[in-house]
Amino acid sequence: MEILLDKIIKKNKIKTKFGTVASYIPGLNKAKKEDLGICLLDMDGNKYMCGNYNKKFTIQSVSKPIALMLAMLDNGVDYVFSKVGTEPTGDAFNSIIRLETATVKKPYNPMINAGAIAVSSMIKGENKEDKFKRLLEFFKLITENNTLTFNEEIYSGENRTGHKNRAMAYFMKDQGIIESSVEDGLDVYFKQCSIEVTAVDLAMIGMFLARNGSLSTGEKIISDYEAKAIKSLMMTCGMYDGSGEFALKVGIPSKSGVGGGIMSVLPNKLGIGIYGPSLDKKGNSIGGDGILEDLSKKLNLSIF
Ligand code: GLU
């Protein structure tokens, strides 16, 4: 397996030249474009790692499914989906347009920024610090990594410059989608996006979902239904407006983030974490996308 991973990483490293590192959030552009790493975990407890699997980066949108899990636990699945839809958009992750034009007045799904901000605003807590503290504890539980923290510089940079996210959040407050404090919701969202992880942490999250919401100890954290909901949304909406093509080429439920992470789940089989900060035009890791396509073809991993 390690030999295969090494070969696939070498092949896809070439692709990283053709992408760009995200720069719209201050600090993200410090990443090294050519970095590429993977961690793959299987149900028997085997762990395979290759390349820059140990490098820390901010989780960004890969945090969306995890925040969704806690919002479901806090509020119930029905309440969450009464406020946020379950349909792909075909628009960019940060698009604002459908918030007003959609016939049903709610963000299309929890994997785009608008939907994710609405979800983060549902996390329960006394105040914004307490809400984020609960969410960070939940991240630690799922990754089985007690050392997770968030990157202050990236958080404050996004808080300072995230005008479009702020605009969407206030619009959703006007529509009654966000019921709690808008600024609390945004603060939780910006902080969760700046949690620092490695490809290993992402593989642990993938493995948690592969086990339908159980930790490695067997402890059940979310219901089978909740785990299925997350995986379906990852499959239909997880790779931004590239989700359809990704389903066709790769066929593995995945979630990407502009920090370069991809978290993938092969139900009952594998958890995969990838890091590669060079992004394609849609905001997906260009090398990561290539790695998953090659792995899927070589090992026949498509769920379809
Ligand atoms: N924090 C980023 C934003 O809101 C996350 C985007 C992403 O990773 O897709 O723009």
Side-chain angles (χ1 to χ4, degrees):
M1 180 63 89
E2 270 104 353
I3 297 169
L4 174 68
L5 293 181
D6 191 53
K7 234 168 107 181
I8 291 181
I9 286 218
K10 278 198 183 113
K11 179 185 160 206
N12 284 286
K13 226 179 196 355
I14 301 160
K15 290 194 185 152
T16 62
K17 281 195 205 116
F18 305 106
T20 40
V21 167
S23 58
Y24 75 97
I25 298 173
L28 277 191
N29 60 349
K30 286 185 189 158
K32 275 177 138 181
K33 195 170 163 171
E34 64 280 10
D35 278 352
L36 206 51
I38 184 167
C39 172
L40 194 144
L41 303 172
D42 69 18
M43 294 296 268
D44 302 323
N46 294 309
K47 185 174 182 177
Y48 306 100
M49 292 160 300
C50 193
N52 307 101
Y53 66 88
N54 222 357
K55 203 136 196 188
K56 280 191 182 170
F57 56 96
T58 54
I59 189 165
Q60 298 300 337
S61 272
V62 186
S63 65
K64 291 171 180 172
I66 301 99
L68 179 58
M69 291 180 215
L70 186 59
M72 284 170 161
L73 291 175
D74 278 359
N75 303 275
V77 179
D78 291 346
Y79 177 79
V80 173
F81 290 134
S82 73
K83 299 287 182 188
V84 180
T86 50
E87 298 300 334
T89 63
D91 299 326
F93 65 95
N94 58 355
S95 177
I96 198 164
I97 190 160
R98 286 178 200 248
L99 275 184
E100 194 178 21
T101 59
T103 34
V104 182
K105 293 277 176 269
K106 54 184 182 182
Y108 264 65
N109 69 69
M111 301 294 155
I112 52 170
N113 286 7
I117 293 166
V119 165
S120 301
S121 76
M122 294 178 205
I123 307 279
K124 301 241 192 269
E126 294 289 312
N127 48 42
K128 61 183 185 190
E129 287 78 21
D130 187 43
K131 290 174 189 183
F132 178 68
K133 192 168 163 256
R134 287 190 61 244
L135 183 56
L136 184 61
E137 286 308 314
F138 191 69
F139 270 81
K140 290 181 182 173
L141 178 76
I142 304 301
T143 54
E144 303 187 30
N145 178 358
N146 243 323
T147 68
L148 290 188
T149 50
F150 71 101
N151 181 314
E152 280 281 355
E153 185 199 349
I154 304 275
Y155 155 68
S156 59
E158 190 170 1
N159 195 9
R160 216 173 45 242
T161 60
H163 310 302
K164 197 170 173 188
N165 282 334
R166 199 162 252 116
M168 290 196 279
Y170 278 96
F171 186 83
M172 289 189 289
K173 178 75 178 175
D174 177 71
Q175 301 280 302
I177 296 158
I178 292 186
E179 290 185 314
S180 56
S181 148
V182 180
E183 285 301 326
D184 279 13
L186 282 165
D187 201 65
V188 171
Y189 174 75
F190 292 144
K191 277 191 182 145
Q192 80 184 47
C193 286
S194 32
I195 292 175
E196 284 188 313
V197 290
T198 64
V200 181
D201 297 312
L202 296 190
M204 287 295 284
I205 301 169
M207 202 59 216
F208 171 79
L209 285 166
R211 288 189 224 101
N212 250 350
S214 298
L215 301 177
S216 61
T217 55
E219 190 189 342
K220 185 90 174 143
I221 305 296
I222 59 171
S223 70
D224 285 1
Y225 181 72
E226 287 159 345
K228 275 186 193 162
I230 306 273
K231 282 181 272 190
S232 342
L233 287 163
M234 285 168 63
M235 190 77 258
T236 51
C237 319
M239 301 297 282
Y240 309 125
D241 43 332
S243 299
E245 193 186 350
F246 188 82
L248 204 97
K249 284 193 317 194
V250 181
I252 304 174
S254 300
K255 181 73 202 89
S256 64
V258 294
I262 304 181
M263 179 269 287
S264 304
V265 189
L266 203 65
N268 303 311
K269 292 199 179 83
L270 300 174
I272 305 171
I274 291 183
Y275 173 56
S278 180
L279 309 178
D280 65 16
K281 288 202 170 65
K282 297 190 168 173
N284 294 314
S285 168
I286 197 164
D289 194 84
I291 291 177
L292 285 166
E293 187 177 352
D294 288 344
L295 258 184
S296 176
K297 291 213 170 104
K298 265 265 175 286
L299 303 177
N300 198 17
L301 299 181
S302 171
I303 62 168
F304 298 107

